[in-house]
Amino acid sequence: MTARKYEQRLRAEAAEETRRRILDAVYARLREAPAEPVSLDQVARIAGVARSTVYLIFGSRAGLFDAFGADLLQRGGFDRLLEAAADPDAREGVRGGIRGGVFMYAAHRDAWRVLFSMAMLQPDAVGGAIQRMEHGRAGGMALLAQRLADQRVLRPELSAAEAADLLWLLTSFDSFDLLYTGRSLPADRVADRLVATAEKSLIR
């Protein structure tokens, strides 16, 4: 390896380390004061960087929270969720997608709770990140509902649009958290309850 390539690798590693520290600082701030809006100055202080560095890496407040949300998804197993939901059998896609979502939410429940609550009370507080994620989830549920209809396994009294509404409800963070926190059920039992409800409500 040439000296130049070595220096480039060190710079890239340093940049990734700084990025990681900033994302971890967001998580720390959410745990420290879940009822307060997240200040970029506080995030920078916790991460040990200048505020300008946060903007340099993420571009904006919205960019920071988009990256933070994507990081929670990745660390929670979002790739596995997508793989399960894409099963050729749409019924298995529903089952696997719901289970994957439950375990993804459970992996970082407290952070998700704060983000969803902030997005409801003050959308700008998290830079619109939750709204964009939920828009993506809505599209995924519409696609899965249409696959159920196309494979003729959807209950005959339901349209694909109605099925998408039910999937939207059953895969939401709030549905998960009402059972996980509200009823103190472990994640696997939450998944069982939601999958059983989906099967009875949607599938022939």
Side-chain angles (χ1 to χ4, degrees):
M1 180 182 293
T2 66
R4 182 178 179 183
K5 287 185 178 180
Y6 179 70
E7 289 173 0
Q8 288 174 337
R9 192 186 74 179
L10 289 180
R11 283 197 296 270
E13 289 174 352
E16 180 55 33
E17 181 182 337
T18 300
R19 184 179 186 276
R20 178 77 264 160
R21 287 207 319 274
I22 293 170
L23 293 175
D24 288 344
V26 175
Y27 195 71
R29 183 58 188 161
L30 291 175
R31 289 198 311 268
E32 179 183 290
E36 298 177 9
V38 177
S39 160
L40 296 193
D41 286 330
Q42 293 166 333
V43 168
R45 175 182 54 77
I46 294 169
V49 300
R51 178 187 173 98
S52 59
T53 301
V54 178
Y55 282 102
L56 180 64
I57 293 175
F58 298 100
S60 63
R61 182 184 187 85
L64 172 61
F65 279 99
D66 279 341
F68 182 70
D71 188 61
L72 287 183
L73 291 174
Q74 182 181 17
R75 291 197 287 170
F78 188 59
D79 288 345
R80 293 191 297 275
L81 183 161
L82 291 178
E83 182 179 353
D87 191 289
D89 184 333
R91 294 167 297 187
E92 289 302 321
V94 168
R95 295 169 186 135
I98 290 174
R99 288 189 182 281
V102 165
F103 289 108
M104 182 190 72
Y105 288 138
H108 300 285
R109 181 268 169 193
D110 291 348
W112 286 120
R113 177 73 278 166
V114 174
L115 290 177
F116 275 97
S117 296
M118 283 185 174
M120 182 68 68
L121 296 171
Q122 188 180 351
D124 291 343
V126 291
I130 292 298
Q131 289 86 342
R132 286 185 287 278
M133 281 189 221
E134 290 290 81
H135 180 74
R137 185 169 69 86
M141 295 308 99
L143 179 61
L144 190 50
Q146 189 59 55
R147 290 179 59 217
L148 288 170
D150 292 344
Q151 294 182 18
R152 300 185 184 279
V153 294
L154 190 62
R155 294 180 68 88
E157 66 271 22
L158 289 177
S159 67
E162 290 168 331
D165 289 341
L166 289 172
L167 285 169
W168 170 259
L169 171 66
L170 293 171
T171 59
S172 68
F173 173 80
D174 286 324
S175 291
F176 153 79
D177 204 39
L178 282 169
L179 294 172
Y180 186 74
T181 303
R183 301 289 288 175
S184 299
L185 295 180
D188 58 344
R189 289 178 63 191
V190 173
D192 289 342
R193 297 284 196 279
L194 293 176
V195 167
T197 301
E199 290 178 335
K200 291 174 184 175
S201 303
L202 297 166
I203 298 172
R204 286 176 185 266

